[in-house]
Amino acid sequence: MRFGSTQFCSLALFASALLTGCSDRGGGEAPTSAQSGAQAPGPAGSAATAEQPRGPKAPSLSGASLARAAEDDALYVADEDHRALRVVPLPFQRDAEPKTIALPGRPAQVLAASGRVFVTVREIDESGAGALLVHARTPSGLAEQARVALPGDAWGIAITPDERRAIVTSAWTAKLSVIDLEKLTVIATLDVGREPRGIAVMPSGDRAYVSHLVGSGVTRVDGLAGEAPTASSVALPAAPLRSPAGVELSASLGYAAVANAAGDRVYFPRHALGALGGDAWWGTPAVDVLLPGREGQPDRALSGRFKPAMPKTRNALFEQVEKGRPWSPGVMPHSELGADAFVQPRAAVLRPSEETLLVASEGTDELVELDAQLSDPSFGVIRRHKITIHRETYYDVATRCGAPSGIALSSDEAAAYVHCRSTDEVVMVSLARGDGQYHSVPPPALKLVAGEADESMSLGRRLYYNATDGVMSGKLACAGCHPEGREDGHVWHEVRFAPDDQSDSFMSGREPFVNFVGHEAQADALMQRWKVKSEEVRGEPGRVSAAGHPRQTPMLVARVAAQGPYGWHGESKDLPARLVAGFTLHRWSSDWNADSLAVARAGHLVKFLREGLVAPPRAKAEPSAEALRGKAIFESKEAMCSSCHVAATGYTDRSVVPLLPAPPPPRGFVRESNEAFKTPSLLFVGGSPPYFHDGRYATLLELVEKNADRMGRTSHLSAEDKKALVAYLETL
Amino acid sequence: MRLAHAFAPMSLFAAASLAMLGNAASSSPPSLTASASASAAPKRRAPERPRPSPLANHTIPREESEPPKPEEWRNAPMVAPTRASSSASRRCRAYLVREWLKLNCDLSAAAIRQLAGPHQGVLLWVTPTPEGGFFADKPMAQIIAPMRPGSPSVFQIYEISGGEYEGVWAEPSYLLDIQWPEAEPQPKVVLR
């Protein structure tokens, strides 16, 4: 968003002018000592009323891992991996010395408003609680002014245009807090869907929309200006133009939500699970645009929906192409335009002067500029800014500027500052106008931290976010399905394909291979496109009803300490073996099998999985009486839960057991002969629905209620006992 | 790449139903007369063309009307989409009759697909492949479609790439995106 004219100072918008001209009435006014950091996080509302600071207005109403100061003299970076806030002076110089402010926990987002800088902290001092830190800009730098205690895993922040309210999402705890920025008190704490993340505030200041990391629905918050805001859920099926006919797709990786200045479009860049286009076994990118309803009208999706039986015309040449090379571009019914626009949309901002949307493509180390006027901007890639500077020769990962995760526009919109998380840098990318393009000028990069001491850890981290390395991935990184070591909430289809050797497809002559696909219709499309067959597919070409075996994405963080085995069937003896096996599932090519290339990558990844991923915060409260009763049931001889889910080893003994009788597979999947599954760890199980390898239960209560005596024994339990058992499971 | 031509008056043959659009029967789109080829301008000089007026300057009826007659297209004003990429605006021209939009693009199209939206009255046309070759002399792709409140539509044009030696294939090129949210007074047309 652009600078408005400043409220208190009618000077031109030059940083220097603002600082000198406004400073005695502006940011410098806030007291340095107020409510300072040494104080333990008090209960919400304990903070004293902060004097409303003055100065230019916030350049952006939504936070990110990177923010430009309203005064245009600094960039603030929420450096999650080093528990610090970095201050980078502007104008941008690659050899500038960033200042470091140590934080009491890992920051997720930062937002620069007039005279104040807000930082969300996921967990304060291992307390289980999150916080909003309020820093005042003082002549000598930032000074912590207040700390507002919030539900754990505080992540996204946005403010209203009048800067009187802030909204903060708490991801793991699925809460949304509305904060009075004058009194620095929490007005409301609302329950919302799983993993709320990015927030877009409408220009009216009374409404906001929230994206979710898991699922296609978004949250709408009303009544922000008043004292009793409310939250409701809005359906927004992913990528309707790329969906299989008649199917509403789910989404993942909804990190960002962006509203335009008029407030008539809200953009949700994300990953559409099961969307079609080209070779997209993993789904496709999508920017789903919501039209906020006016005057009591419901919110609607902007985009139309793909319909297969639509007018089309083609000439003889097209028919020839279609017959000759069914896998060539253009012949599948779904458009391939932009099906590779971005991978893992980690952040997004609008560039109003050009009506474009800039998306940080975490997996491909790019900043992608899209036509924001399209009904799905992912169809309109205007420019790709390659921000990676060098690549390793052995690993196809960035050595400079990997995993872009935050974007801030310069005040004249001629440049974008990008935070590259996996290499700890900020780069300045020059943005062209119109359809033009700057030719591969390496953007200047500023290092935030001196190089990582542990080379293996550094590589593991860069590999984890990377979707370009051909050995590990066929277009989606570990972070694409296991974001932050958590999971996408999706049940993937594991399908065995065999190339049709009678065909002239590029696949013929290859070994059979097993691949994840996002939706049964995707297996169908791939079979036609690649000319491959599969015994694990039911239905006719064009109308496949089931494909492959169900594989719910497991959570990794805190669940990968054990030696082994790994995999839902416990088929991999240890973690490196599982990773090497996994590589072949996350890509369609079997050209790179378990050789030294794969083993080397697995080694570094294991290091990152075990030491680099951070577990979600846990409430430190004493367990309730109900949870204690549930614990007794869990450990009882009758229920037998703890006989397999052994507490000392993360609530699993890692035994691979069939739970009989095996029910028929859920819709869209085929039955598998191996009915034995590894007892999963129950650590953090309360936050990782759906449950079981096939995602058959949406909630823990449903699991316990429908279990009967398949797994341990639950049929003897009363309704209260079952609730108590669930209450206990939620504390694990 | 070919230069754009300003087309001479056109007429629509009512007989050119959807069913026959794919047939290589006629070598010019149903809304063109043979006189189009009379504009034998030298290849490299940019031909004169009327300046399109912004779509937003036109009042577009929200009520449905019958597809325009050939005479109506003949006198239709040329309009500029809400937004078009520079290459699309070089190669394509849009015309407006009531709520109906016609898009002519000078390119070797192999196919056009409607991906979403109302299909009543939609007409799609691509130049047939010439005998013994890949690229027609004056290739063209044409889309005629209505703009309807609450019913967004999307069309994908596929263009021929390659040549005699490397072989040919079809590639998605321009996307025509028509959106008219119910709550908004005007449609938006994006060509990219």
Side-chain angles (χ1 to χ4, degrees):
Chain A
M1 205 148 296
R2 290 219 235 188
F3 271 94
S5 58
T6 72
Q7 269 174 307
F8 302 101
C9 155
S10 57
L11 296 176
L13 298 171
F14 296 113
S16 57
L18 279 172
L19 281 176
T20 52
C22 298
S23 61
D24 40 1
R25 295 191 291 159
E29 213 171 38
T32 340
S33 55
Q35 297 287 324
S36 202
Q39 190 180 315
S46 70
T49 301
E51 195 175 329
Q52 185 70 344
R54 299 160 170 198
K57 296 194 111 187
S60 169
L61 298 180
S62 299
S65 77
L66 174 76
R68 178 170 58 82
E71 292 76 6
D72 214 12
D73 58 355
L75 296 172
Y76 303 107
V77 183
D79 184 350
E80 182 168 346
D81 294 315
H82 301 91
R83 290 174 67 125
L85 184 68
R86 313 273 180 189
V87 185
V88 175
L90 284 182
F92 189 83
Q93 278 169 312
R94 69 179 84 197
D95 52 2
E97 279 284 315
K99 280 209 196 77
T100 297
I101 299 169
L103 296 178
R106 293 168 179 272
Q109 289 202 335
V110 54
L111 189 154
S114 49
R116 295 194 282 184
V117 176
F118 302 106
V119 184
T120 52
V121 173
R122 305 187 78 156
E123 181 176 18
I124 293 276
D125 293 327
E126 279 79 52
S127 65
L132 177 68
L133 305 187
V134 184
H135 282 86
R137 277 175 60 99
T138 73
S140 54
L142 294 184
E144 188 175 321
Q145 190 186 26
R147 203 178 272 193
V148 182
L150 295 173
D153 211 21
W155 197 88
I157 175 167
I159 55 171
T160 51
D162 60 8
E163 303 195 7
R164 294 163 66 123
R165 294 278 190 273
I167 304 120
V168 174
T169 52
S170 288
W172 183 257
T173 47
K175 296 264 196 281
L176 190 138
S177 310
V178 180
I179 297 147
D180 180 329
L181 286 181
E182 281 158 12
K183 300 196 191 109
L184 293 173
T185 52
V186 177
I187 295 174
T189 306
L190 306 171
D191 286 310
V192 296
R194 221 189 133 185
E195 289 277 359
R197 295 281 174 149
I199 310 155
V201 174
M202 304 304 288
S204 68
D206 200 38
R207 199 196 295 177
Y209 291 89
V210 177
S211 69
H212 291 261
L213 197 65
V214 175
S216 62
V218 302
T219 294
R220 167 174 166 166
V221 190
D222 285 296
L224 276 177
E227 298 303 307
T230 55
S232 54
S233 177
V234 179
L236 186 65
L241 286 172
R242 303 190 199 273
S243 296
V247 174
E248 296 201 341
L249 292 178
S250 187
S252 60
L253 308 180
Y255 285 106
V258 187
N260 67 355
D264 56 12
R265 301 276 190 286
V266 186
Y267 299 85
F268 293 94
R270 44 199 191 165
H271 182 73
L273 291 156
L276 302 178
D279 292 320
W281 59 262
W282 62 96
T284 72
V287 180
D288 295 306
V289 184
L290 190 77
L291 301 165
R294 295 178 210 170
E295 288 142 24
Q297 292 299 308
D299 303 326
R300 287 186 198 287
L302 169 63
S303 174
R305 177 157 284 287
F306 173 79
K307 289 188 224 149
M310 279 296 211
K312 54 177 179 265
T313 181
R314 60 186 69 189
N315 59 25
L317 183 68
F318 191 81
E319 278 160 25
Q320 204 177 310
V321 170
E322 199 169 33
K323 256 200 239 106
R325 296 201 295 187
W327 66 94
S328 79
V331 301
M332 301 304 289
H334 287 78
S335 173
E336 288 161 50
L337 214 62
D340 59 352
F342 52 77
V343 178
Q344 299 148 228
R346 186 60 180 66
V349 297
L350 273 173
R351 189 180 175 208
S353 61
E354 292 284 304
E355 294 204 63
T356 56
L357 183 74
L358 290 162
V359 177
S361 176
E362 177 186 77
T364 57
D365 308 323
E366 289 171 312
L367 181 67
V368 186
E369 195 163 359
L370 309 172
D371 185 341
Q373 298 233 19
L374 283 169
S375 48
D376 177 345
S378 75
F379 280 85
V381 178
I382 299 174
R383 275 177 286 270
R384 289 174 179 282
H385 302 277
K386 272 269 168 210
I387 50 178
T388 273
I389 298 172
H390 299 294
R391 287 189 170 270
E392 295 267 355
T393 44
Y394 191 70
Y395 306 97
D396 192 8
V397 293
T399 51
R400 300 287 301 276
C401 205
S405 51
I407 314 170
L409 277 182
S410 70
S411 54
D412 60 3
E413 297 182 15
Y417 306 104
V418 181
H419 172 218
C420 301
R421 180 168 178 186
S422 75
T423 53
D424 302 313
E425 284 158 313
V426 172
V427 299
M428 190 180 93
V429 184
S430 296
L431 302 173
R433 299 213 173 272
D435 293 346
Q437 182 116 34
Y438 289 115
H439 195 67
S440 63
V441 182
L446 177 140
K447 205 82 188 138
L448 293 171
V449 221
E452 178 105 43
D454 186 332
E455 182 57 20
S456 180
M457 182 67 145
S458 154
L459 260 172
R461 181 152 76 122
R462 283 179 284 143
L463 288 165
Y464 192 78
Y465 297 105
N466 176 280
T468 59
D469 180 84
V471 179
M472 287 190 308
S473 165
K475 300 286 162 92
L476 202 57
C478 315
C481 294
H482 306 281
E484 301 182 333
R486 301 177 185 181
E487 30 83 52
D488 55 13
H490 193 53
V491 184
W492 291 82
H493 299 241
E494 191 183 282
V495 193
R496 170 172 294 273
F497 293 105
D500 178 354
D501 286 337
Q502 306 311 308
S503 85
D504 55 353
S505 156
F506 69 109
M507 279 284 177
S508 72
R510 287 187 188 218
E511 293 292 304
F513 58 96
V514 184
N515 209 133
F516 284 153
V517 296
H519 190 273
E520 56 272 22
Q522 217 151 31
D524 195 355
L526 295 179
M527 284 165 69
Q528 295 176 56
R529 185 178 170 85
W530 296 346
K531 292 205 176 167
V532 290
K533 300 175 292 191
S534 176
E535 290 182 356
E536 292 162 2
V537 166
R538 302 277 168 271
E540 298 301 307
R543 36 180 82 221
V544 159
S545 59
H549 303 144
R551 294 288 180 265
Q552 200 232 134
T553 314
M555 204 164 151
L556 302 180
V557 59
R559 293 190 185 176
V560 285
Q563 175 71 21
Y566 285 91
W568 272 111
H569 283 309
E571 66 273 35
S572 303
K573 72 175 189 331
D574 56 20
L575 195 50
R578 162 65 221 183
L579 298 190
V580 172
F583 294 163
T584 66
L585 299 171
H586 316 140
R587 53 165 207 250
W588 56 266
S589 148
S590 49
D591 289 352
W592 305 92
N593 263 335
D595 50 16
S596 59
L597 293 174
V599 173
R601 281 157 175 78
H604 303 306
L605 279 168
V606 163
K607 175 115 186 143
F608 180 74
L609 295 185
R610 291 195 168 137
E611 296 166 33
L613 291 176
V614 180
R618 262 175 205 292
K620 291 289 174 303
E622 287 296 308
S624 65
E626 190 185 28
L628 287 174
R629 216 174 94 214
K631 182 171 194 279
I633 298 168
F634 189 84
E635 290 166 353
S636 68
K637 277 214 189 67
E638 293 73 37
M640 296 186 297
C641 311
S642 58
S643 66
C644 296
H645 296 289
V646 177
T649 47
Y651 300 93
T652 167
D653 61 358
R654 302 195 93 78
S655 59
V656 181
V657 287
L659 302 177
L660 296 171
R667 251 188 75 207
F669 296 95
V670 297
R671 185 182 274 278
E672 60 188 308
S673 48
N674 181 356
E675 282 164 349
F677 293 94
K678 180 195 67 196
T679 306
S681 165
L682 300 183
L683 284 173
F684 298 103
V685 75
S688 63
Y691 299 106
F692 276 22
H693 72 283
D694 52 11
R696 83 175 38 243
Y697 303 120
T699 63
L700 285 172
L701 190 60
E702 189 190 352
L703 179 148
V704 170
E705 279 176 346
K706 295 192 177 156
N707 178 58
D709 295 332
R710 267 187 80 215
M711 179 175 71
R713 281 192 60 234
T714 44
S715 57
H716 62 295
L717 298 175
S718 68
E720 270 86 70
D721 285 346
K722 288 176 181 167
K723 283 227 293 279
L725 183 55
V726 168
Y728 173 63
L729 291 173
E730 281 168 350
T731 66
L732 299 182
Chain B
M1 200 170 297
R2 264 155 223 281
L3 293 172
H5 293 267
F7 284 102
M10 26 203 97
S11 71
L12 187 73
F13 299 119
S17 69
L18 264 180
M20 66 165 288
L21 283 178
N23 294 349
S26 155
S27 66
S28 57
S31 65
L32 272 185
T33 62
S35 65
S37 53
S39 60
K43 281 242 156 112
R44 303 246 151 226
R45 200 193 320 143
E48 305 236 324
R49 34 155 131 155
R51 285 186 73 76
S53 62
L55 181 72
N57 292 358
H58 298 260
T59 309
I60 296 161
R62 302 179 78 95
E63 304 73 44
E64 298 189 11
S65 71
E66 290 295 309
K69 305 233 156 41
E71 319 74 86
E72 293 181 278
W73 281 127
R74 204 174 299 147
N75 302 317
M78 198 193 276
V79 292
T82 319
R83 178 159 189 172
S85 65
S86 55
S87 107
S89 42
R90 261 196 323 277
R91 298 170 80 189
C92 305
R93 296 163 308 289
Y95 302 88
L96 181 72
V97 172
R98 297 186 299 278
E99 82 279 24
W100 291 85
L101 187 79
K102 181 171 77 175
L103 184 77
N104 286 350
C105 295
D106 306 318
L107 48 87
S108 285
I112 306 175
R113 272 202 181 104
Q114 182 172 7
L115 302 179
H119 61 268
Q120 281 278 313
V122 166
L123 279 178
L124 308 174
W125 194 90
V126 296
T127 311
T129 317
E131 198 87 18
F134 298 131
F135 298 99
D137 199 25
K138 288 203 174 59
M140 186 156 112
Q142 184 176 83
I143 299 171
I144 294 178
M147 298 180 277
R148 305 246 183 260
S151 303
S153 43
V154 176
F155 299 85
Q156 174 73 71
I157 300 176
Y158 294 87
E159 209 173 337
I160 298 168
S161 295
E164 215 169 310
Y165 299 106
E166 65 269 47
V168 289
W169 61 92
E171 244 171 326
S173 66
Y174 299 114
L175 192 82
L176 173 65
D177 183 300
I178 302 173
Q179 30 175 295
W180 193 348
E182 211 87 63
E184 294 177 14
Q186 284 277 1
K188 275 188 182 171
V189 172
V190 185
L191 180 63
R192 178 164 289 286

